[in-house]
Amino acid sequence: MQVTSAAVIVAAGSSRRMQGRDKLWVQLAGRATLAHTIDTFQSSPVIDTIVIVTNAERLPDVHALCQHEDWHKVIAIIPGGARRQDSVRCGLDEVARQVPGCQWVMIHDAARPFVTGNILEAGLQAALKHQAAIAAVPVKDTIKQVHEGIITETPDRALLWAVQTPQVFSFPLIHEAHHTPLAQEDMTDDATLLERLGHHVAVFPGSYTNIKITTQEDLLFAEVFMTASQKI
Ligand SMILES: Nc1ccn([C@@H]2O[C@H](COP(=O)(O)OP(=O)(O)OP(=O)(O)O)[C@@H](O)[C@H]2O)c(=O)n1
Ligand SMILES: C[C@](O)(CO)[C@H](O)COP(=O)(O)O
């Protein structure tokens, strides 16, 4: 069955937790973090079009990168918003403008450059079944809920998953959700919006290497892993 799927790659953050370095333009094995991420989507047979959402000041750099790399699936490079969810909405609105009838959308953090084609394909298969599915991995550490330095709860670890991206959705479903009043509330991922609207969201296997580059320590892993995986 031929499906049309778009990717919204959100790259409009400020890297505040990176102590002054722009994590999306740090060089990993000789290429910017952002380039590694986009490459995987450009190479994936399940992705037809790509919308990149970036900072206004980085628009020229992303345009230059896309021209240099010849990523023909990239149909738009647009500015994002104040929050991740605002950038996602900007990307979804652009997909709606440029891809009439789009059926599926993958929303992915540009800061997750180690996503694989297999994860993208697993995500689409899960979304075809559930309408909404997100990459996740079982947590390995015991997680505690803490209030003012005191433990208030220890959730059952067997029920806890660490959420990643891509988050894959029926496009009409997630696009409409991002235009409900509830969408104005702060949320750190897109699945939360659907959950709060009463929709079931499934998880599908991500990977423990599909990390989000967030702090300097993540760069240590990223540089080693990217170099090692280039040699495979
Ligand atoms: N207003 C925002 C905030 C985040 N993002 C993107 O969402 C992804 C996940 O966000 P995060 O890791 O928090 O990135 P930053 O917001 O840059 O990090 P920080 O919170 O440390 O500033 C990143 O690819 C980031 O570029 C975005 O497109 N628009
Ligand atoms: C979407 C996400 O990557 C799932 O873990 C995460 O919530 C993004 O959080 P951030 O603070 O915007 O990086």
Side-chain angles (χ1 to χ4, degrees):
M1 171 180 65
Q2 179 63 28
V3 297
T4 59
S5 59
V8 171
I9 298 178
V10 284
S14 307
S15 297
R16 287 183 302 273
R17 289 169 281 182
M18 283 294 291
Q19 293 154 359
R21 298 181 73 181
D22 184 338
K23 63 189 181 182
L24 299 187
W25 294 90
V26 165
Q27 297 291 300
L28 298 174
R31 297 184 77 198
T33 302
L34 177 62
H36 290 288
T37 304
I38 299 170
D39 245 0
T40 302
F41 284 82
Q42 172 64 41
S43 305
S44 171
V46 301
I47 297 296
D48 302 301
T49 56
I50 300 168
V51 170
I52 303 170
V53 188
T54 186
N55 291 317
E57 60 271 20
R58 282 288 188 182
L59 283 168
D61 299 325
V62 179
H63 276 285
L65 182 63
C66 291
Q67 194 165 14
H68 178 262
E69 299 287 346
D70 190 27
W71 288 320
H72 59 83
K73 292 182 183 177
V74 176
I75 59 169
I77 302 165
I78 63 170
R83 302 167 299 176
R84 180 185 180 281
Q85 63 198 82
D86 302 313
S87 297
V88 169
R89 190 183 62 256
C90 292
L92 295 174
D93 288 348
E94 188 65 21
V95 171
R97 277 190 287 273
Q98 295 217 33
V99 191
C102 180
Q103 295 169 291
W104 305 97
V105 64
M106 292 196 186
I107 302 167
H108 186 67
D109 299 331
R112 291 184 186 270
F114 302 115
V115 68
T116 65
N118 287 342
I119 291 175
L120 303 189
E121 294 180 34
L124 182 59
Q125 288 308 313
L128 286 168
K129 183 176 179 183
H130 297 284
Q131 301 298 300
I134 64 172
V137 290
V139 300
K140 295 187 275 188
D141 300 314
T142 295
I143 305 295
K144 302 281 187 184
Q145 184 171 302
V146 176
H147 179 63
E148 294 180 348
I150 303 298
I151 296 168
T152 55
E153 186 181 352
T154 302
D156 178 358
R157 187 171 70 181
L159 302 179
L160 297 181
W161 290 66
V163 170
Q164 302 178 345
T165 67
Q167 302 200 349
V168 192
F169 307 100
S170 151
F171 179 75
L173 178 66
I174 193 66
H175 187 221
E176 184 180 332
H178 266 277
H179 285 276
T180 60
L182 191 66
Q184 287 314 306
E185 293 180 15
D186 289 344
M187 298 173 197
T188 56
D189 82 334
D190 300 288
T192 301
L193 177 55
L194 290 187
E195 294 160 44
R196 291 184 184 173
L197 288 169
H199 294 283
H200 286 168
V201 180
V203 297
F204 66 91
S207 167
Y208 289 113
T209 56
N210 182 30
I211 68 161
K212 180 165 65 73
I213 296 176
T214 308
T215 60
Q216 291 277 18
E217 297 81 5
D218 299 321
L219 277 183
L220 298 175
F221 169 88
E223 284 156 357
V224 170
F225 184 76
M226 189 63 83
T227 304
S229 56
Q230 300 280 316
K231 289 174 181 169
I232 295 172

